[in-house]
């Protein structure tokens, strides 16, 4: 009897020890799972009623500090009131609608009509307006046409006179397309104007829009570095634009799938993209392929540097000696003298730009 009692006690003890070991094992497993989840899932993306996912996994992007967003590649929130291109179902029927659609076609596939083998005229380098005005000028911070029509007629600081919108289109043919100016009264230019009027139909003159044109990045404290930019280009750009910036032709050998970034078929040195503040903001929000304002793939510094590299490469020259008659209105990143200040051509091209901007402000204060 005594032996049986001892056996019962031993059995009870073993059961207690087994339960304790099981409990400890379960707790240990839970801890391991928590650690793994913490390492894999970024802070702020854990499930919960207040969580917000990115890249289509929930309704809204994660809100982060703007300083981190502007400098890096962290997803950035898009305000609810950001500009959006109108829906196609708002294109009117009839002749007006046909002109709008034809205008969009001309913007998207300019080279088919005006390129080296164009069906209407052979007067441009083979690029499309859409190469600089993405998605036919409808993309957020993609150099869009949101406020284009609403801003005209307006005084052009470059020419020194009041211009109409068709004159601005003509300048793009001369500069970005490194070509000749088509007849402003032609059906094609009028169709492009009709399309641009439609795409900005809800925008009023002087209205401030989030996402308009291109983003203006914060200035760097140092000059943009073409050598560092070459490294960015080789890693993230040459697969689409070619090792020599030559672009990629479509199968028809008439139009480009990806535009040339330098060389005789690229934009000339009078184009807006030759100004580094424009180029840096454009690539920050759109390059490489798949990047956007919400999901940038380049840091600000990479955007500045790759822009410096691209614009350090050879391209067609445009005589600009009659531009900017009022030197005080000359942009800080226009890389050809003379200037109203003492900064060099090189600094006006690559920066740092803040000292130039500060000098301009000081000069305006003294004058007033």
């Amino acid at each position: 009897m005594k032996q049986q009692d001892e056996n019962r006690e031993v059995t009870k003890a073993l059961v207690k020890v087994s339960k304790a070991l099981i409990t400890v094992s379960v707790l240990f497993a839970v801890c391991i799972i928590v650690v793994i989840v913490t390492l894999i899932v970024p802070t702020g993306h854990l499930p919960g009623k207040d969580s917000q996912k990115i890249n289509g996994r929930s309704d809204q992007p994660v809100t982060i500090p703007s300083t981190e967003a502007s400098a890096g590649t962290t997803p950035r929130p898009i305000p609810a009131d950001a500009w959006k291109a109108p829906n196609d179902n708002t294109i009117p029927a009839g002749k007006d609608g046909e002109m709008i659609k034809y205008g969009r076609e001309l913007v998207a596939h300019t080279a088919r009509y005006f390129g080296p083998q164009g069906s209407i005229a052979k007067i441009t380098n083979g690029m499309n307006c859409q190469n600089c005005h993405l998605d036919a000028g409808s993309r957020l911070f993609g150099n869009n046409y949101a406020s284009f029509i609403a801003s005209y007629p307006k005084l052009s600081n470059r020419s020194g006179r009041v211009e109409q919108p068709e004159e601005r289109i003509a300048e793009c043919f001369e500069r970005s397309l490194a070509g000749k100016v088509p007849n402003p009264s032609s059906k094609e230019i009028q169709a492009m104007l009709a399309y641009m009027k439609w795409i900005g139909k809800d925008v009023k003159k002087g209205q401030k829009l989030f996402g308009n044109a291109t983003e203006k990045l914060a200035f760097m404290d140092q000059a943009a570095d073409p050598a560092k930019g070459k490294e960015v280009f080789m890693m993230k750009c040459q697969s689409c634009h070619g090792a020599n910036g030559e672009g990629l032709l479509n199968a028809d050998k008439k139009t480009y799938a990806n535009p040339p970034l330098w060389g005789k078929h690229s934009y000339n040195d009078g184009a807006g993209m030759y100004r580094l503040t424009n180029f840096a903001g454009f690539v920050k929000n759109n390059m490489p392929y798949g990047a956007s304002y919400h999901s940038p793939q380049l840091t600000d510094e990479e955007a500045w540097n790759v822009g410096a590299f691209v614009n350090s490469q050879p391209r067609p020259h445009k005589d600009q000696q009659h531009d900017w008659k009022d030197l005080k209105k000359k942009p800080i990143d226009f890389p050809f003298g003379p200037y109203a200040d003492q900064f060099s051509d090189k600094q006006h091209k690559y920066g740092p730009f803040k000292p130039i901007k500060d000098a301009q402000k000081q000069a305006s204060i003294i004058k007033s």
Side-chain angles (χ1 to χ4, degrees):
M1 182 65 71
K2 182 178 181 182
Q3 183 64 41
Q4 290 178 347
D5 291 340
E6 288 178 354
N7 289 341
R8 289 194 191 95
E9 292 300 323
V10 170
T11 300
K12 290 180 180 179
L14 288 173
V15 170
K16 290 181 180 180
V17 170
S18 297
K19 289 181 178 180
L21 287 173
I22 291 171
T23 302
V24 170
S25 298
V26 171
L27 291 174
F28 181 75
V30 170
C31 291
I32 292 296
I33 291 171
V34 170
V35 170
I36 291 173
V37 171
T38 302
L39 291 174
I40 292 177
V41 182
T43 302
H45 292 184
L46 291 173
K49 65 178 182 179
D50 297 322
S51 66
Q52 294 177 312
K53 300 180 183 179
I54 59 174
N55 295 334
R57 288 172 286 171
S58 190
D59 294 332
Q60 298 294 330
V62 178
T63 301
I64 59 169
S66 58
T67 53
E68 180 184 357
S70 64
T73 58
T74 309
R76 303 184 288 181
I78 298 175
D81 61 349
W83 178 78
K84 294 181 180 66
N87 194 288
D88 282 0
N89 61 20
T90 65
I91 296 177
K95 292 183 178 180
D96 290 344
E98 291 304 313
M99 283 290 279
I100 291 170
K101 292 175 183 177
Y102 185 39
R104 178 167 58 189
E105 167 67 12
L106 290 162
V107 168
H109 305 110
T110 320
R112 289 181 185 173
Y113 305 92
F114 294 108
Q117 300 181 61
S119 60
I120 294 176
K122 299 172 176 58
I123 58 174
T124 72
N125 57 7
M127 292 179 67
N128 303 311
C129 297
Q130 183 171 249
N131 294 142
C132 295
H133 303 276
L134 301 181
D135 296 342
S138 67
R139 187 184 296 187
L140 195 75
F141 284 127
N143 209 14
N144 58 58
Y145 298 131
S147 62
F148 177 74
I149 292 296
S151 64
Y152 281 89
K154 71 176 181 181
L155 175 65
S156 167
N157 289 328
R158 181 161 60 192
S159 67
R161 57 186 177 79
V162 175
E163 290 186 351
Q164 301 298 323
E166 56 265 35
E167 294 179 88
R168 183 68 185 88
I169 294 177
E171 289 177 353
C172 283
F173 270 82
E174 286 187 310
R175 297 166 186 267
S176 297
L177 300 181
K180 298 178 182 178
V181 179
N183 185 341
S185 63
S186 67
K187 176 183 177 181
E188 284 66 37
I189 297 302
Q190 294 306 307
M192 293 172 79
L193 287 171
Y195 170 67
M196 294 172 186
K197 183 176 181 180
W198 170 78
I199 207 170
K201 65 186 181 68
D202 298 320
V203 179
K204 297 178 175 58
K205 190 176 184 65
Q207 182 179 349
K208 300 297 182 182
L209 301 173
F210 180 89
N212 184 40
T214 54
E215 183 184 15
K216 294 301 182 184
L217 302 183
F219 294 144
M220 295 198 299
D221 293 332
Q222 71 275 10
D225 188 337
K228 291 181 179 179
K230 183 178 181 179
E231 296 176 2
V232 177
F233 180 85
M234 292 173 65
M235 289 188 297
K236 301 185 178 182
C237 310
Q238 72 172 1
S239 61
C240 290
H241 295 283
N244 297 309
E246 70 275 19
L248 177 65
L249 282 168
N250 284 309
D252 61 9
K253 302 300 181 184
K254 297 179 181 180
T255 57
Y256 284 98
N258 300 315
L261 297 184
W262 62 85
K264 65 179 182 179
H265 293 292
S266 188
Y267 57 88
N268 65 35
D269 59 15
M273 283 297 186
Y274 197 65
R275 289 176 49 196
L276 191 53
T277 62
N278 291 334
F279 195 109
F282 179 83
V283 299
K284 167 74 178 185
N285 292 291
N286 301 288
M287 299 294 151
Y289 183 78
S292 65
Y293 174 83
H294 169 51
S295 301
Q297 297 183 31
L298 300 178
T299 65
D300 282 17
E301 183 175 356
E302 287 175 326
W304 284 110
N305 289 339
V306 77
F309 168 69
V310 169
N311 281 342
S312 71
Q313 301 304 300
R315 65 186 61 257
H317 174 66
K318 170 127 178 31
D319 182 6
Q320 300 168 70
Q321 61 179 325
H322 299 300
D323 289 353
W324 314 106
K325 292 180 175 61
D326 186 347
L327 297 181
K328 294 187 294 297
K329 295 181 179 179
K330 206 170 193 176
I332 60 173
D333 58 343
F334 189 80
F336 302 107
Y339 305 106
D341 54 56
Q342 302 302 311
F343 297 96
S344 67
D345 283 13
K346 184 176 181 180
Q347 185 162 349
H348 277 282
K349 185 172 183 177
Y350 299 123
F353 295 115
K354 189 175 184 301
I356 305 176
K357 195 73 173 178
D358 290 344
Q360 283 187 349
K361 289 180 180 179
Q362 186 62 31
S364 64
I365 292 173
I366 292 174
K367 182 179 178 179
S368 59

